[in-house]
């Protein structure tokens, strides 16, 4: 199983922690976020990940040189940011023939049970499943509306007048044909350009 770990952002909301370090290496109880992600992947039999880099890329490369080899890591250095969806399209060949793949945002801290989320995704038969959680600040998040069947019927990125508080958690799984919906222009953002266009074809998986 393969996963993208999106780590190329500038981490502006974490400043000053990210003035001199990438957000994916910000420590939680002394452990870099990226280390926590690789452990989560290992526990759930995700054996290959692709990490996109931009800000402070050399620090991330140095960290990865010291990580164990249970999870194979491919690095994609973006001299110009492609956007969260642009990264997926640019690395389509890396996915090969895999029918499903994970997308993780590297600045998310979670202990989600990925096996249960995968099972829910396969049962749904839809193109993607988004991990959603309830937030106190919906104007700062991508907010989903979910119908009675657990299908995402609306998605709005940082809405000025949110109708709910179910936010995209930065954890999702998708079929490979999701990449057919990524436009060729760059940059392309998942929350702004892709998820709203797939409403009715994505399932919700609520997490705490």
């Amino acid at each position: 199983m393969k996963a993208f770990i999106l780590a190329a952002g500038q981490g502006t909301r974490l400043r000053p922690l990210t003035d001199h370090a990438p957000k994916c290496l910000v420590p939680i109880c002394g452990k870099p976020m990226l280390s926590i992600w690789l452990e989560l992947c290992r526990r759930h039999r995700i054996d290959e990940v692709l990490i996109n880099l931009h800000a402070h890329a050399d620090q991330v490369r140095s960290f990865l040189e010291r990580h164990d080899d249970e999870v194979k890591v491919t690095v994609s250095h973006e001299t110009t940011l492609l956007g969260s969806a642009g990264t997926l399209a640019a690395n389509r060949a890396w996915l090969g023939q895999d029918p499903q793949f994970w997308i993780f945002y590297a600045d998310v801290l979670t202990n989600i049970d990925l096996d249960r989320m995968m099972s829910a995704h396969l049962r749904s038969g839809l193109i993607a499943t988004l991990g959603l959680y309830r937030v106190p600040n919906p104007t700062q998040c991508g907010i989903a509306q979910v119908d009675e069947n657990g299908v995402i019927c609306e998605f709005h990125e940082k809405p000025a007048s949110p109708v709910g508080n179910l936010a995209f958690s930065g954890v999702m799984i998708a079929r490979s044909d999701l990449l057919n919906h990524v436009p060729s222009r760059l940059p392309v953002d998942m929350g702004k350009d892709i998820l709203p266009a797939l409403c009715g074809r994505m399932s919700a998986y609520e997490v705490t």
Side-chain angles (χ1 to χ4, degrees):
M1 192 70 187
K2 294 179 180 178
F4 287 92
I5 300 180
L6 303 178
Q10 301 283 357
T12 54
R13 288 175 293 180
L14 286 177
R15 287 177 177 164
L17 295 175
T18 50
D19 283 342
H20 304 289
K23 63 181 179 179
C24 66
L25 295 185
V26 170
I28 304 296
C29 296
K31 182 174 291 188
M33 290 282 286
L34 187 52
S35 178
I36 296 170
W37 267 118
L38 291 174
E39 286 183 10
L40 188 68
C41 288
R42 184 165 51 247
R43 288 202 304 272
H44 292 276
R45 299 171 302 284
I46 297 170
D47 53 3
E48 290 191 55
V49 301
L50 184 143
I51 302 173
N52 67 328
L53 303 179
H54 179 72
H56 309 293
D58 289 345
Q59 292 185 43
V60 183
R61 289 180 185 275
S62 179
F63 166 82
L64 290 172
E65 288 174 359
R66 302 188 299 273
H67 103 286
D68 65 65
D69 294 328
E70 288 187 55
V71 178
K72 181 181 178 181
V73 177
T74 298
V75 170
S76 176
H77 187 196
E78 299 178 9
T79 54
T80 300
L81 289 173
L82 304 179
S84 50
T87 295
L88 309 185
N91 293 283
R92 185 169 192 158
W94 173 78
L95 279 176
Q97 302 301 312
D98 287 26
Q100 319 279 344
F101 63 95
W102 289 99
I103 302 166
F104 303 134
Y105 286 56
D107 54 356
V108 169
L109 178 66
T110 182
N111 61 357
I112 187 172
D113 187 330
L114 297 176
D115 291 336
R116 293 183 64 182
M117 184 170 171
M118 169 65 86
S119 296
H121 169 68
L122 295 176
R123 286 195 304 271
S124 77
L126 297 177
I127 194 169
T129 298
L130 272 59
L132 304 176
Y133 72 116
R134 299 189 182 275
V135 296
N137 55 341
T139 58
Q140 299 178 36
C141 306
I143 299 298
Q145 282 187 272
V146 181
D147 69 15
E148 65 276 9
N149 297 313
V151 176
I152 296 172
C153 53
E154 288 189 44
F155 188 91
H156 302 281
E157 182 68 14
K158 298 180 177 64
S161 302
V163 296
N165 67 344
L166 271 177
F168 176 39
S169 67
V171 176
M172 65 179 287
I173 186 167
R175 296 199 315 245
S176 58
D177 54 318
L178 176 139
L179 298 180
N180 297 333
H181 298 271
V182 180
S184 57
R185 60 179 173 79
L186 294 172
V188 188
D189 183 76
M190 185 68 69
K192 294 178 181 177
D193 302 312
I194 307 301
L195 300 184
L198 293 177
C199 288
R201 303 184 61 189
M202 302 182 294
S203 65
Y205 184 82
E206 189 168 348
V207 299
T208 58

